[in-house]
Amino acid sequence: MAAPEEAKAGKGVTATRTAPPTKKNNKADESELLTVPDGWKEPPFKRDDNPKGLLEESSFATLFPKYREAYLKECWPLVQKALNEHHINAALDLIEGSITVTTTKKTFDPYIIIRARDLIKLLARSVPFEQAVRILEDDVACDIIKIGSLVRNRERFIKRRQRLIGPNGSTLKVRKVVLDTMKNIHPIYNIKTLMIKRELLKDPELRLQNWERFLPKFKHKNLNKRKEPKKKNIKKEYTPFPPPQPESQIDKELASGEYFLKDSQKKRKRVEEIKAKQAEAINKRQEERNKAFIPPKEKPVVKPKKATSETKIDIEVIKEKVKKAKRKKLGALPVEEVKLKMATVKKKKK
């Protein structure tokens, strides 16, 4: 029986064929073929599955930015150690700014070179080594999504990209969430549907049914108002007639009668106009200079009022006011209320 990893065989790799299905296999239950037993794991690919190794050498290379050079220098011994365990050679070229991975004669897993390619891509894209090295495991996969060309406006691109960054700088790993976020659909909607699907998987009755009736349906609403431009171009009303032709200098002279004057008269008229303009300018300048010599308006002096004999202080009136204030502060009742209470008390005794 062929191993599951034989489907990964690429260029220069021998792959065995599985035996044709028998009649017993055809009669097997479809439900048994579709369902996977709980706790089942794909067996790891070992040396016995491909004892002869690979026929040809294959390699991959990728470029990395300049700011990533210092980090790659530090973690490069760990990268080589992780790849040597799978018999893969790695080379770091700091002059060209590239990383290269190649297979060796001892390499037996045909798909490990693809995982090594993904490892160097993740390292070049600022993924830490501790997370990137997990791609060498069989049950881990990665997907690099290019989002630079999905949104034209730079400000919108930055805002929507910020929604993808989770706690502690971790990025969401679902492709649909990323693409929908770039289409202005908030990731919380897709995360909610994933949470509902996880709960539905726990129920054995609903496991094989359609889940559309349970999933929420969100309507896309664009609430952002369009920014109005500062300068509005107002369209003129359409008229089939062309605009009137502007008057020429000869037409203006004919209308004013200047056309029929002699050259000497025209020159005299121009000189008079120039002199009139100069006289107006001189008058304006003289007015501005004279403003500095104009005195400001003085405010009228207010004379103090003399104290009259009528406004003398009455000491007795002030004493009575002070007594009343003291009674109010101490909580004493006025004289009239005290007399009324005394009269009522006497009537009750009689």
Side-chain angles (χ1 to χ4, degrees), residues 24-223:
K24 291 181 181 179
N25 291 336
N26 290 333
K27 291 178 182 179
D29 246 347
E30 290 183 2
S31 60
E32 292 179 3
L33 294 172
L34 293 171
T35 56
V36 179
D38 296 332
W40 182 86
K41 288 185 178 180
E42 190 176 355
F45 197 84
K46 298 179 181 179
R47 170 71 75 175
D48 299 336
D49 297 327
N50 189 15
K52 295 182 180 180
L54 307 178
L55 296 176
E56 293 184 8
E57 183 185 284
S58 55
S59 63
F60 289 100
T62 186
L63 300 173
F64 61 87
K66 186 71 176 176
Y67 66 86
R68 197 68 176 153
E69 184 178 331
Y71 181 79
L72 290 172
K73 276 183 183 178
E74 292 178 3
C75 69
W76 189 246
L78 299 172
V79 175
Q80 284 183 323
K81 185 181 178 182
L83 292 173
N84 285 335
E85 291 177 1
H86 300 278
H87 307 290
I88 297 290
N89 287 337
L92 178 65
D93 192 347
L94 298 175
I95 298 169
E96 293 183 359
S98 64
I99 311 171
T100 310
V101 288
T102 55
T103 57
T104 61
K105 292 181 180 179
K106 295 182 180 180
T107 308
F108 60 89
D109 189 355
Y111 196 71
I112 196 65
I113 188 64
I114 304 298
R115 296 189 180 280
R117 179 201 64 183
D118 293 342
L119 173 64
I120 60 175
K121 279 186 178 181
L122 293 172
L123 289 171
R125 289 175 175 268
S126 302
V127 178
F129 170 76
E130 292 79 9
Q131 296 179 11
V133 76
R134 292 180 59 203
I135 197 63
L136 298 175
E137 300 173 9
D138 289 338
D139 56 346
V140 178
C142 74
D143 191 4
I144 297 168
I145 306 165
K146 294 181 180 179
I147 60 175
S149 59
L150 296 176
V151 182
R152 292 182 181 179
N153 193 345
R154 181 69 180 170
E155 293 179 0
R156 289 180 189 171
F157 171 75
I158 292 167
K159 285 180 182 178
R160 294 177 188 178
R161 185 183 62 181
Q162 190 66 25
R163 296 173 188 169
L164 297 171
I165 299 172
N168 300 325
S170 60
T171 311
L172 302 175
K173 301 177 182 178
V174 182
R175 188 180 186 88
K176 188 176 184 299
V177 176
V178 176
L179 295 174
D180 286 350
T181 304
M182 289 295 112
K183 295 175 184 176
N184 202 18
I185 299 170
H186 203 277
I188 191 65
Y189 302 139
N190 287 317
I191 291 166
K192 195 170 183 180
T193 55
L194 290 171
M195 291 169 69
I196 293 167
K197 285 179 180 179
R198 187 185 293 175
E199 294 296 325
L200 291 170
L201 277 171
K202 295 177 183 178
D203 193 348
E205 294 181 359
L206 299 171
R207 196 170 183 179
L208 302 173
Q209 294 181 11
N210 191 5
W211 294 344
E212 286 185 3
R213 65 181 188 272
F214 301 109
L215 299 177
K217 295 178 181 178
F218 301 101
K219 292 181 181 180
H220 179 67
K221 294 180 180 179
N222 191 4
L223 300 175

